Amino acid sequence: MTKGVKDSIHVLLLMFNKAALSSYNFPCANVITLFQIMCSCTLLYALRRWKIISFTVGGESQSISVGRSMILVPFKTLVKTLPLALSYLFYMVVTMESVRGINVPMYTTLRRTTVAFTMIAEYLLTGQTHSPFVVASVGMIILGAVVAGSRDLSFDTYSYAVVFVANICTALYLAFIARIVLPGKSSGLNTFGLMWCNGVICGPLLLLWITIRGDVETTLNFRYLFSFGFQCVMLLSCIMAFLINYFVFLNTTLNSALTQTVCGNLKDVFSIGVGWFLFGGLPYDFLNIVGQSLGFMGSCLYAYCKLHGK
């Protein structure tokens, strides 16, 4: 159930981000990421202040009172989550940039190769291994991405490279979630607490970076900044980003990072169709269809292996 909701939100987030960066030609992807982080922190702070949610696994016994500290969690706990937060920052920044320069169908296809990087990251960080059937299904997914991309007429080296860097960042982020959240709840934080720490650490760093780059001035001079349509897209993007981050945490605690990645590919048929219809950029090609089909079949094979314990 949560997986289906998460996939639906992911599709919406991709479309809103693509609309802001491509349809409105907004030049500052990092500013969108900062707005998403600020929206997330504001919402979490309000919910915590109103005592609707807590940040720790066992209630609020481990957290610092709201009146004494704005960080709401012990400083030592914040330091423990630093690797997760930094991987989250790179994941958000690079993923946002990767959406800009490539059409949605090929973006979705290339993102499928995240499964290979996730498998490697899981092995290096948690020592988890997988059966030959699972490895074969992942190989089929990667083969599909290669076949589909081989005839992309809009091929751009930089855009493809950014997508693969985004795949590595995504794999590290999911593996760090599994490492920090699952083994004995070592951080003492629940999903909301980890999301809060991500925002508290990443927000100031990203603000410093966009200030140095001059993105603040560029944003203030953006011609559509006060356009109602653009503001709606930005608001919906921030809301979807908050929800997708929550469900990524939730699903990774219920499943492995690899399962989280592979099952996400099952939403790709819908993403590709909607992206093709709204943004175009990828003409019909037989090899592309073959590649898309191979990737989808690989995802289905993986789901079959997991359901039957292979």
Side-chain angles (χ1 to χ4, degrees), residues 137-286:
S137 65
V138 170
M140 185 179 295
I141 293 172
I142 296 172
L143 177 62
V146 172
V147 172
S150 64
R151 294 289 292 272
D152 180 18
L153 300 180
S154 61
F155 175 82
D156 177 72
T157 303
Y158 172 78
S159 299
Y160 270 54
V162 172
V163 172
F164 281 111
V165 173
N167 292 346
I168 296 173
C169 293
T170 302
L172 289 174
Y173 178 52
L174 293 176
F176 271 121
I177 292 176
R179 184 181 183 184
I180 292 177
V181 176
L182 294 180
K185 302 277 192 291
S186 59
S187 67
L189 299 174
N190 59 18
T191 297
F192 294 116
L194 290 169
M195 290 172 63
W196 171 258
C197 289
N198 280 349
V200 169
I201 295 173
C202 298
L205 293 176
L206 190 56
L207 178 60
L208 176 63
W209 174 245
I210 66 174
T211 302
I212 294 174
R213 282 173 51 93
D215 288 348
V216 174
E217 183 179 356
T218 303
T219 300
L220 294 176
N221 293 328
F222 181 59
R223 59 181 297 188
Y224 296 114
L225 181 61
F226 298 105
S227 165
F228 178 74
F230 178 74
Q231 290 181 348
C232 286
V233 168
M234 289 290 290
L235 176 61
L236 291 171
S237 174
C238 290
I239 295 173
M240 294 302 111
F242 174 82
L243 293 175
I244 194 65
N245 199 25
Y246 172 75
F247 280 107
V248 164
F249 270 108
L250 183 61
N251 278 285
T252 307
T253 58
L254 299 175
N255 305 292
S256 71
L258 184 63
T259 300
Q260 161 78 13
T261 305
V262 174
C263 291
N265 289 330
L266 296 177
K267 72 178 180 304
D268 289 348
V269 172
F270 182 64
S271 297
I272 290 169
V274 174
W276 216 322
F277 177 76
L278 293 179
F279 302 106
L282 187 65
Y284 173 82
D285 183 83
F286 176 73

Side-chain angles (χ1 to χ4, degrees), residues 272-307:
I272 290 169
V274 174
W276 216 322
F277 177 76
L278 293 179
F279 302 106
L282 187 65
Y284 173 82
D285 183 83
F286 176 73
L287 280 181
N288 192 279
I289 299 299
V290 170
Q292 304 283 5
S293 301
L294 279 174
F296 182 72
M297 287 189 294
S299 299
C300 293
L301 176 60
Y302 177 87
Y304 175 83
C305 292
K306 298 301 288 187
L307 287 174

Side-chain angles (χ1 to χ4, degrees), residues 116-130 175:
F117 298 107
T118 303
M119 186 178 289
I120 295 171
E122 276 190 329
Y123 176 76
L124 294 176
L125 293 176
T126 66
Q128 183 173 354
T129 57
H130 300 278

